[in-house]
Amino acid sequence: MHLHLTSVKYIGVAGLYDYGPPGSSLQANIIAEWRKHFIIEEHMLELDTTIMTPAPVFETSGHVARFADWMVKDTKTGDVLRADHLVKNVLEARLAGDKEARGMAAAPLTEDKKKKKKAAKSAAVKLADEVVTEYEAILAQLDNYSGPELGELCRKHNLRNPDTDNEVGEPQLFNLMFASSIGPTGQHPGYLRPETAQGHFLNFSRLLEFNNGRVPFASAQIGRSFRNEISPRAGLLRVREFTMAEIEHYVDPEDKSHERFSEVRDVKLTLLDRHVQEAGKSTTVEMTVGEAVDKGIIANETLGYFVARIYQFLLKIGINPQRLRFRQHMANEMAHYATDCWDAEIHNSTGWTECVGCADRAAYDLTVHTNKTGHPLVVRQALKEPIVTQKEIPEWNKKALGKTYKQDAGIIQKIVESMDQQELVKLKGELAQGKTVITSSDGAKQWELTPEVLTVELKTLKQSIREYTPNVIEPSFGLGRILYTLLEHSFWSREQDVERGVLSLPPVVAPTKVLIVPLSAREEFDPLVKEVSSKLRKAGVFSRVDDSNTSIGKRYARNDELGTPFGVTLDFASVQNRTMTLRERDTMDQRIGSIDDVIAVVTDLVFGNITWEEACERLPAYDGVQAIE
Amino acid sequence: MHLHLTSVKYIGVAGLYDYGPPGSSLQANIIAEWRKHFIIEEHMLELDTTIMTPAPVFETSGHVARFADWMVKDTKTGDVLRADHLVKNVLEARLAGDKEARGMAAAPLTEDKKKKKKAAKSAAVKLADEVVTEYEAILAQLDNYSGPELGELCRKHNLRNPDTDNEVGEPQLFNLMFASSIGPTGQHPGYLRPETAQGHFLNFSRLLEFNNGRVPFASAQIGRSFRNEISPRAGLLRVREFTMAEIEHYVDPEDKSHERFSEVRDVKLTLLDRHVQEAGKSTTVEMTVGEAVDKGIIANETLGYFVARIYQFLLKIGINPQRLRFRQHMANEMAHYATDCWDAEIHNSTGWTECVGCADRAAYDLTVHTNKTGHPLVVRQALKEPIVTQKEIPEWNKKALGKTYKQDAGIIQKIVESMDQQELVKLKGELAQGKTVITSSDGAKQWELTPEVLTVELKTLKQSIREYTPNVIEPSFGLGRILYTLLEHSFWSREQDVERGVLSLPPVVAPTKVLIVPLSAREEFDPLVKEVSSKLRKAGVFSRVDDSNTSIGKRYARNDELGTPFGVTLDFASVQNRTMTLRERDTMDQRIGSIDDVIAVVTDLVFGNITWEEACERLPAYDGVQAIE
């Protein structure tokens, strides 16, 4: 694998991973493809905002109060566990034990023992049928429980810390943001952002201006975020520092159609909707995005459009569609303001894992920041047809008002101007009779008003601008999780030798596209290696040379594990005849041709212009023997 | 400008900047060019390591003890100032006042008042000639003073807080790392990295292995770092969160030559060496890198190679070479372990600013981590010729040793085996006489040894592996500072209208390469806009459409300020004749040709294949009138 725990030689701090050279290239390639698929193709506005964020921003967004997980403490050791994970681990272990006791082949709980060493041990104990049903129902809606409900589950089902078999205490909230302090005086608390989204919202006005005041549009940001997870485990699936890619698509709340929806209408998805889950089941259905939106399963076109685009992106980088589903959030799981939310879940050795979220967050985010700062985050839209309304409007004789009422003039004006239409009509009637009396809000003072100071008139108003707070559709990608599941989906072993691993990454994301393998590091191959290397660079194809001191077969095997899709070999025939062989990673098939032909073919392969079958039509098979005179 | 203070609507926390769409594109393009210029061209190994770092890492590296600035507190208000900045601001203000008093046109201290509002006010007071000389000498070696020396300067020259005219206290160290805590228990202190370098060093063994055990090689990383600056000011020049690009080049300490040095030998640089500064002067010299290395001004070839490559990179992205110099660190300024260090300083409205550092850090970093973890970060090199040495070696009769000395046997062995060659020769002589006596280290015990238990023999040893700790050459780039100075160097105003700003960014870094300007947003232009847009995308040229409701001239002017180098206009003649005009930003020169010809020319321009002069040979001038039938 290309990833490893950071600082592991120093201290047992989990959840922080470094990416080595192939891992960081793979990540860079996934990001480049993401940028192309979303930012470039959809003309999104890219942002780069700060990670360190003054505390008031997250107070307003609600993160200080609510961005927290429920944790429980082992009553004896003080070990801290995430409450929902405890429930999941113990119940799954009991169900596995039950299956074993019933003589059914219990699917092994984990495929990789190292990754799940903390999973509860299962013992072959048969459970009553109704208990099995109850456990399964709990697991199906695990994300739906509140903290006190999780505590109740622990008591009712006697769920204990599987490591110690001790009881656990009541669930408590633990805020997941890393806190720090900005500046030398310690006056300004700050947090590391747990998502990039707030950075988008704070810049909304400038983005809107940059987009010439028009909606819909989207901002996009790729960057690091931080969550102080209670129990980071399972490789890259739950870490404390991770790279995200987030889109905030701003849309008119009265029109959530999408201009390009017709392009994705027929994309077929595997859906797990909220009703199925709330009924304690996990049955998925296959459906086109068009059908899901038409039937109201997915709330609107724009949300459906992004769900489909997420699906296309994941397939493009190599995720197995058979192990990908979209799960809708249940009522309690979703924030109260959200309209709808779908997670792209990818199956891996630990089960189904949320890798992308796609939510319609309504007007929540822009509204809370507007309220806090007094700076309105709104769209002002010129109306094609102005809206005409009639309204009673108070008109003052300012001179008479000041002269008659002196220092009270301001209060009197305020009282009248805060009246609604009905009150104004009443006032108008009284004034038409000659005078009226108004009273201060505390009832302590009264003033008599006459038509000399005040008249009320019915006026026709034309509203040519509509002002509204846009709604936000937010696709949010956890790139580390995607990368990790992609590695799992891509890895397999050769039939003839299980020790020989292959990583079938698509060329678009593979760290190295072409491996150049000279027969040996002997100087006579140097000019050819340089030529091929430079020609590939000019064609925009990233290659590496492996001239290490082992057999060609071993060098290929090593690079199969790194996911390099193509290899070219330079040998004595190359020096004499200027030929080169081309090898495909998955089939190990080899072809031969002139150096320039092979470079042209491999370039087309890397950029996805041709398939391997088409390449085979252009280059004859290599039989392992080259003529050398 | 494309950048703005983050969260400014919330709280006055300085030093945190967001990049909006053009700023973040400019940054992304600078990074892409950096990756090409360094990582790809030099086959560096790219890394992506974590920002959040367990505290022990920075304890070992020395950052916890020493990564700090000297701050002084205003004795009345408690305001905190950086000690060296206080000295600089006050002395520069006094020198400016002196110049004014002498009737010399004092160069305005600052070109942009907003940026330097905290600069000390200058009053026209004449200073004695020797005081002027003294102040100038202090300023020339400002980076050379320790904290107590800065305090002494404040007292001696009565330097006060320019904002309040109050005295300041003694300089105190303030650590610049942001602190946090990892995990729910609060047991693990962590810091946000202030540089990416430690992440490289912790991964050294894996990198070396990935490079097949060979040295020299380099690792590279682009990422965010954090410094809790005492007084962040001056736009992007001193901020609390910034993007860095760092290279750690590992080299044999006995051979710091560089394979490709001949390629840069003739690059001419402006150098300010340490001797000139230590003499209180700032006189630069022009010299080729080859000459500087030959004369020992730059310590070695590898360091010189990187200084030259830094120079080439900065010019490529548009930095003005007239405002770029390389300044050598003075003795006190440099870490004690470093061999040599040169900063690329770029001139801007605030003076000369360090934007890239290039240091030979010797074996310091790998040695401290090796000592702390016990995991040796070394290179094991197979020697072509084994080194043959002769050595006296003690040989034990273990059985007799144990039987005779029982529990003392271990101590005796330890004493003898820690002897040096001279002592062993003496021991050998005594044993040849029949016996010897050795004494415990505290002198309390003595043992008699005979040839039956111990002999000393001269043996011939062959060493076929050389083990060494590589030295590290570290080029370290502050990308925000480079971006900011680049904006200053690129910005100018049209002679005929100072309100019309132009940002002369080279195409390679410009956020948008080509602006597509339809005469209006009318539907008849849509097919052509789509065609041009799609053809440019296919050619790999990033374009934007501006169909906003203003004149073509205004749209061009707006995009001149964003640095867009080329514009193409679609009008009625385009619809009828399929022609398009091409405009160059700096000259405002316009050419005309068929849509496909213009796309071909502009693609060559963007990729730097041709100059504007060559483009003019391919496309005739546009006289402002197109024939429409």
Side-chain angles (χ1 to χ4, degrees), chain B residues 136-370:
Chain B
E136 280 169 350
I138 292 170
L139 289 172
Q141 54 176 321
L142 192 60
D143 293 328
N144 216 9
Y145 292 108
S146 68
E149 285 167 347
L150 290 168
E152 182 54 37
L153 285 175
C154 289
R155 276 192 301 278
K156 181 173 171 198
H157 300 288
N158 190 27
L159 308 183
R160 290 154 173 265
N161 180 355
D163 291 339
T164 62
D165 205 38
N166 297 330
E167 282 184 15
V168 296
E170 273 307 293
Q172 293 174 318
L173 274 180
F174 173 70
N175 194 293
L176 297 180
M177 289 193 294
F178 282 100
S180 193
S181 167
I182 308 172
T185 56
Q187 292 162 342
H188 299 302
Y191 292 104
L192 302 188
R193 67 179 178 203
E195 54 172 39
T196 75
Q198 302 307 317
H200 299 236
F201 304 139
L202 295 180
N203 286 290
F204 174 74
S205 298
R206 289 178 179 102
L207 292 168
L208 180 64
E209 190 191 333
F210 191 78
N211 204 49
N212 296 324
R214 295 178 195 166
V215 162
F217 73 94
S219 54
Q221 177 165 211
I222 302 157
R224 216 57 83 81
S225 292
F226 294 75
R227 295 182 187 178
N228 197 3
E229 292 289 348
I230 293 168
S231 49
R233 271 180 213 142
L236 286 182
L237 298 182
R238 197 158 72 252
V239 293
R240 288 178 167 146
E241 178 174 344
F242 49 96
T243 301
M244 296 181 93
E246 289 193 303
I247 295 164
E248 309 294 335
H249 180 91
Y250 309 92
V251 63
D252 184 339
E254 291 175 10
D255 178 12
K256 294 188 180 178
S257 65
H258 194 286
E259 200 186 3
R260 296 173 65 178
F261 188 70
S262 61
E263 294 174 30
V264 300
R265 176 168 270 284
D266 296 329
V267 172
K268 205 164 217 166
L269 304 172
T270 303
L271 301 180
L272 173 56
D273 76 30
R274 67 163 67 103
H275 305 296
V276 171
Q277 297 166 72
E278 282 162 358
K281 303 232 172 71
S282 319
T283 326
T284 57
V285 291
E286 303 272 317
M287 198 181 282
T288 65
V289 180
E291 198 183 342
V293 171
D294 291 345
K295 287 188 175 165
I297 298 172
I298 294 178
N300 57 64
E301 269 194 9
T302 300
L303 194 62
Y305 178 77
F306 279 109
V307 167
R309 292 286 291 159
I310 291 165
Y311 176 85
Q312 291 174 330
F313 171 74
L314 292 173
L315 260 57
K316 201 185 274 182
I317 62 165
I319 292 294
N320 179 352
Q322 306 302 321
R323 300 177 75 182
L324 171 60
R325 72 181 187 192
F326 286 85
R327 186 180 73 79
Q328 191 174 30
H329 278 208
M330 290 170 282
N332 279 0
E333 193 181 354
M334 202 159 60
H336 64 276
Y337 47 80
T339 308
D340 194 7
C341 181
W342 291 83
D343 287 344
E345 293 190 332
I346 305 180
H347 191 259
N348 58 78
S349 57
T350 71
W352 288 99
T353 301
E354 174 201 348
C355 291
V356 188
C358 191
D360 182 338
R361 301 176 56 83
Y364 175 76
D365 308 284
L366 297 178
T367 305
V368 292
H369 289 295
T370 296

Side-chain angles (χ1 to χ4, degrees), chain A residues 340-609:
Chain A
D340 194 6
C341 181
W342 290 83
D343 286 344
E345 292 190 334
I346 305 180
H347 191 258
N348 59 77
S349 57
T350 71
W352 288 98
T353 301
E354 174 202 348
C355 292
V356 188
C358 191
D360 182 339
R361 301 175 55 83
Y364 175 77
D365 307 284
L366 297 179
T367 305
V368 292
H369 289 295
T370 296
N371 293 345
K372 173 74 178 185
T373 62
H375 177 88
L377 303 175
V378 294
V379 173
R380 293 166 57 80
Q381 179 193 26
L383 292 171
K384 278 179 192 163
E385 294 274 312
I387 299 169
V388 178
T389 46
Q390 290 200 312
K391 240 180 154 179
E392 300 288 352
I393 305 283
E395 299 274 329
W396 301 94
N397 178 337
K398 288 272 168 77
K399 212 170 164 187
L401 180 72
K403 210 171 155 190
T404 318
Y405 302 99
K406 309 247 156 40
Q407 74 273 30
D408 287 346
I411 307 168
I412 292 169
Q413 253 186 307
K414 222 173 166 183
I415 293 170
V416 173
E417 269 155 24
S418 68
M419 288 178 173
D420 62 22
Q421 288 292 298
Q422 213 180 342
E423 289 172 298
L424 285 172
V425 168
K426 183 166 164 268
L427 205 69
K428 188 181 187 177
E430 289 167 359
L431 284 167
Q433 306 293 324
K435 64 171 189 190
T436 181
V437 172
I438 63 164
T439 310
S440 66
S441 59
D442 58 2
K445 246 183 155 177
Q446 287 200 323
W447 299 274
E448 194 180 271
L449 301 175
T450 64
E452 278 72 55
V453 280
L454 173 67
T455 53
V456 176
E457 281 163 41
L458 187 68
K459 296 213 165 172
T460 300
L461 299 174
K462 258 194 194 175
Q463 191 198 342
S464 55
I465 299 283
R466 177 184 155 227
E467 197 177 275
Y468 66 89
T469 303
N471 280 11
V472 169
I473 312 278
E474 178 186 82
S476 170
F477 295 69
L479 295 179
R481 290 183 171 190
I482 292 172
L483 185 148
Y484 182 88
T485 50
L486 175 60
L487 290 176
E488 277 202 16
H489 288 198
S490 306
F491 191 80
W492 52 284
S493 296
R494 300 244 183 248
E495 230 172 89
Q496 63 273 40
D497 183 358
V498 287
E499 293 291 304
R500 286 188 60 186
V502 183
L503 202 58
S504 286
L505 295 173
V508 68
V509 294
T512 303
K513 316 298 183 195
V514 177
L515 186 75
I516 302 172
V517 191
L519 191 61
S520 73
R522 283 170 61 162
E523 273 173 24
E524 55 198 308
F525 296 117
D526 279 358
L528 279 183
V529 168
K530 277 198 181 136
E531 182 192 334
V532 172
S533 177
S534 136
K535 281 183 172 166
L536 286 172
R537 185 161 57 231
K538 270 192 196 131
V541 174
F542 186 70
S543 70
R544 267 179 69 91
V545 179
D546 187 344
D547 60 356
S548 61
N549 203 11
T550 54
S551 73
I552 289 185
K554 275 199 185 135
R555 282 182 269 167
Y556 273 137
R558 189 161 64 196
N559 284 278
D560 287 347
E561 284 198 355
L562 294 172
T564 308
F566 305 107
V568 295
T569 308
L570 293 163
D571 55 16
F572 293 112
S574 309
V575 177
Q576 215 174 72
N577 310 336
R578 290 190 55 79
T579 57
M580 184 160 73
T581 62
L582 171 66
R583 173 184 180 273
E584 198 274 335
R585 173 196 59 205
D586 296 352
T587 57
M588 298 192 291
D589 191 8
Q590 294 197 55
R591 319 299 295 187
I592 190 164
S594 77
I595 287 177
D596 288 334
D597 283 351
V598 170
I599 286 173
V601 168
V602 84
T603 301
D604 277 339
L605 282 166
V606 165
F607 290 113
N609 301 333

Side-chain angles (χ1 to χ4, degrees), chain A residues 52-285:
Chain A
M52 178 64 75
T53 311
V57 173
F58 289 122
E59 284 161 12
T60 303
S61 69
H63 284 84
V64 171
R66 288 187 303 273
F67 194 73
D69 275 342
W70 293 100
M71 65 173 186
V72 289
K73 273 195 183 167
D74 183 303
T75 48
K76 290 195 181 137
T77 63
D79 285 352
V80 174
L81 305 168
R82 237 179 86 167
D84 55 344
H85 293 162
L86 170 68
V87 172
K88 180 168 185 273
N89 288 342
V90 175
L91 294 190
E92 280 182 348
R94 289 187 190 167
L95 287 172
D98 171 72
K99 272 198 178 160
E100 208 182 325
R102 286 170 192 247
M104 294 151 74
L109 251 188
T110 157
E111 288 162 27
D112 180 342
K113 280 190 180 151
K114 245 177 150 180
K115 270 180 214 123
K116 269 204 135 185
K117 58 179 176 189
K118 292 270 180 171
K121 268 167 273 165
S122 64
V125 176
K126 191 173 179 299
L127 305 171
D129 288 354
E130 63 274 20
V131 173
V132 170
T133 313
E134 189 179 1
Y135 285 1
E136 280 168 349
I138 292 170
L139 289 172
Q141 55 175 318
L142 192 60
D143 293 326
N144 217 7
Y145 292 108
S146 67
E149 284 167 347
L150 289 168
E152 182 56 36
L153 284 174
C154 289
R155 276 191 302 278
K156 183 174 170 197
H157 299 288
N158 190 27
L159 308 182
R160 292 155 170 264
N161 180 355
D163 290 340
T164 62
D165 206 38
N166 297 330
E167 283 183 17
V168 295
E170 272 307 294
Q172 295 175 317
L173 273 180
F174 173 71
N175 194 293
L176 296 181
M177 289 192 295
F178 282 101
S180 192
S181 168
I182 308 172
T185 58
Q187 292 161 343
H188 299 300
Y191 293 103
L192 302 188
R193 66 178 179 204
E195 55 171 37
T196 75
Q198 301 307 317
H200 299 236
F201 304 139
L202 295 180
N203 286 289
F204 174 75
S205 297
R206 290 179 179 101
L207 293 167
L208 179 64
E209 191 190 332
F210 191 77
N211 203 50
N212 295 324
R214 295 178 195 166
V215 161
F217 73 93
S219 54
Q221 177 164 209
I222 303 157
R224 216 57 83 81
S225 293
F226 295 74
R227 296 182 187 177
N228 197 3
E229 292 288 350
I230 294 168
S231 48
R233 271 181 214 142
L236 287 182
L237 298 182
R238 197 159 71 251
V239 292
R240 289 179 166 145
E241 178 174 342
F242 50 95
T243 302
M244 297 182 93
E246 289 193 302
I247 295 164
E248 309 294 334
H249 180 91
Y250 309 93
V251 63
D252 184 339
E254 291 175 10
D255 177 12
K256 295 189 180 175
S257 65
H258 195 287
E259 199 187 3
R260 296 173 64 178
F261 187 69
S262 60
E263 295 174 29
V264 300
R265 177 168 269 286
D266 296 329
V267 171
K268 205 164 216 167
L269 304 172
T270 304
L271 302 180
L272 174 57
D273 75 31
R274 67 162 69 101
H275 305 297
V276 171
Q277 297 166 72
E278 282 162 358
K281 302 236 171 68
S282 321
T283 326
T284 57
V285 291

